[in-house]
Amino acid sequence: MSQQPGQLTFVAPRRAKPARHLADLTMAERRAAVAELGEKPFRADQLSRHYFSHLTADVAAMSDLPAAAREKLSALLPPLLTSVRELSTDQGTTRKTLWRLFDGALVESVLMRYPDRVTMCVSSQAGCGMNCPFCATGQAGLTRNMSTAEIVEQVVSGARALAAGEVPGGPGRVSNIVFMGMGEPMANYKQVIGAVRRFVEPAPDGLGISARGVTVSTVGLVPAIGKLADEGLPVTLALSLHAPDDELRDTLVPINTRWKVAEVLDAAWAYAAKTKRRISIEYALIKDINDQEWRADLLGKLVKNKLVHVNLIPLNPTPGSKWTASRPEDERAFVRRLQFHGVPVTVRDTRGREIDGACGQLAAAE
């Protein structure tokens, strides 16, 4: 269901929950779950090694488990995601997958292979309740929160495809994860933190990906940013700012009516001070809306001399939108003004645009 202009949805609609999965649980919880099934707790370690190290969920192939135990233990590896469609571009190195969840909800993830890394962009909610008017996901409204295991399974599926050599470039592994798919990660806080822990914990507890390779984005839920700073997880915080002034940001990012630019930036600087991690400021450049030089100056003054990097994103078009990307000369002028203030800035590569897999384009339509 779509939302009224400016309407925010913080609490996801109550829906049936997906089946409990190994990836929803800590290792201690997995051992307890295995014991409940009448098996020895160490079977949880074996099961975890198959899932997180060997990337298999097929208990029939787990030859180190007794045949009698396999069927019982399969209860901890229920299927969570069904691939509906896969689109690829960049000679197959960018792949967008549309997934159907157990209740029919649809989400998307994107795998992007670069010469030196593989980044996976994952969804944390089906839809989004933050209602940013230039984002296809935001216009769809919020269907429900995703479970920890549904989030993890997006990455495990990508890791399987890489390990099997299905992505051009030979066998590989996921090195970076960005929570920039569908949803506002901080509005599904508990499940997202569970997924981050599964990503960074070494095998067999998790996938063993460096926390420095994980980026959690937010439109600016200030209390949750403070909570994340206390988790002891040195992940990168990406703040979707999109405007340096409250007047415009109230319109582009409706959460700004709750927490203003100054409050959001203060929370980001506190996060940087605590974690020693550079804040990524995300800024979609929209023609004649937020790309004026005076706004670049204002942004430069707000973030200069901070542990920060500004990521400018040429707006990716979405169907029916009245907005489009800035003119190249305006983009260049915006970059120059930020550089004048000594602010590190890059313009994001718009990979996946042809398959509606770039920032702001994920709409999960069949």
Side-chain angles (χ1 to χ4, degrees):
M1 100 183 166
S2 59
Q3 310 186 90
Q4 299 303 310
Q7 179 188 343
L8 293 164
T9 308
F10 289 99
V11 180
R14 290 191 75 79
R15 303 268 296 239
K17 290 188 171 163
R20 180 179 67 165
H21 187 284
L22 180 86
D24 288 312
L25 310 173
T26 64
M27 184 56 93
E29 290 167 340
R30 289 173 217 167
R31 289 183 185 128
V34 164
E36 276 169 33
L37 293 170
E39 290 297 322
K40 300 234 170 13
F42 77 87
R43 298 286 180 213
D45 301 56
Q46 292 175 298
L47 211 53
S48 299
R49 194 163 278 109
H50 282 291
Y51 183 72
F52 286 109
S53 299
H54 307 314
L55 307 172
T56 181
D58 177 12
V59 286
M62 300 178 186
S63 55
D64 57 342
L65 297 176
R70 288 179 210 169
E71 194 171 333
K72 279 193 275 184
L73 294 174
S74 68
L76 288 173
L77 290 169
L80 295 176
L81 308 180
T82 306
S83 175
V84 176
R85 186 178 60 242
E86 201 160 84
L87 298 172
S88 63
T89 183
D90 302 319
Q91 287 84 50
T93 58
T94 300
R95 293 165 42 130
K96 179 175 85 161
T97 307
L98 174 66
W99 302 104
R100 181 177 284 108
L101 308 182
F102 83 101
D103 56 356
L106 297 170
V107 299
E108 292 180 320
S109 63
V110 185
L111 182 153
M112 293 160 282
R113 186 171 203 163
Y114 299 89
D116 59 339
R117 67 190 188 283
V118 177
T119 298
M120 282 215 64
C121 176
V122 299
S123 294
S124 55
Q125 295 179 310
C128 183
M130 297 298 105
N131 207 4
C132 300
F134 57 89
C135 172
T137 314
Q139 293 313 288
L142 178 60
T143 301
R144 72 166 172 88
N145 285 332
M146 294 177 69
S147 69
T148 288
E150 286 173 328
I151 298 168
V152 171
E153 180 65 16
Q154 295 170 78
V155 175
V156 170
S157 295
R160 271 188 205 120
L162 283 160
E166 292 170 18
V167 182
R173 60 190 302 275
V174 176
S175 55
N176 297 72
I177 298 165
V178 295
F179 280 85
M180 293 182 181
M182 301 175 71
E184 162 54 53
M186 296 292 199
N188 186 21
Y189 187 86
K190 187 181 172 195
Q191 282 70 28
V192 164
I193 293 302
V196 171
R197 292 196 183 280
R198 295 308 101 77
F199 293 148
V200 304
E201 285 162 350
D205 294 43
L207 286 168
I209 293 167
S210 167
R212 292 174 176 272
V214 178
T215 297
V216 177
S217 75
T218 180
V219 289
L221 278 67
V222 166
I225 294 172
K227 256 170 98 173
L228 184 63
D230 293 334
E231 292 284 354
L233 290 163
V235 298
T236 298
L237 178 71
L239 176 60
S240 297
L241 194 67
H242 306 311
D245 55 306
D246 286 323
E247 186 181 11
L248 179 58
R249 195 169 191 263
D250 282 351
T251 308
L252 291 183
V253 188
I255 194 81
N256 203 71
T257 58
R258 178 88 47 112
W259 293 289
K260 297 298 185 187
V261 170
E263 291 173 86
V264 174
L265 288 176
D266 281 349
W269 308 146
Y271 183 87
K274 189 147 202 178
T275 62
K276 309 293 185 281
R277 300 290 292 143
R278 187 170 68 163
I279 302 297
S280 179
I281 300 281
E282 310 287 304
Y283 196 105
L285 282 172
I286 310 171
K287 179 183 169 188
D288 297 334
I289 301 291
N290 66 351
D291 60 355
Q292 302 86 350
E293 285 190 57
W294 71 264
R295 281 202 162 93
D297 264 326
L298 179 54
L299 178 61
K301 287 171 187 163
L302 287 173
V303 307
K304 71 179 181 182
N305 303 324
K306 299 290 187 182
L307 193 59
V308 73
H309 178 270
V310 174
N311 209 347
L312 297 176
I313 308 160
L315 184 76
N316 293 302
T318 57
S321 174
K322 61 184 179 183
W323 289 325
T324 189
S326 300
R327 302 170 194 88
E329 60 269 27
D330 293 338
E331 181 186 289
R332 288 192 294 270
F334 204 96
V335 169
R336 277 197 305 273
R337 294 313 303 161
L338 288 173
Q339 288 172 334
F340 171 79
H341 292 284
V343 174
V345 55
T346 48
V347 178
R348 180 176 297 167
D349 161 19
T350 55
R351 275 181 75 146
R353 181 182 277 187
E354 308 81 355
I355 53 172
D356 289 340
C359 287
Q361 290 188 311
L362 300 187
E366 282 194 78

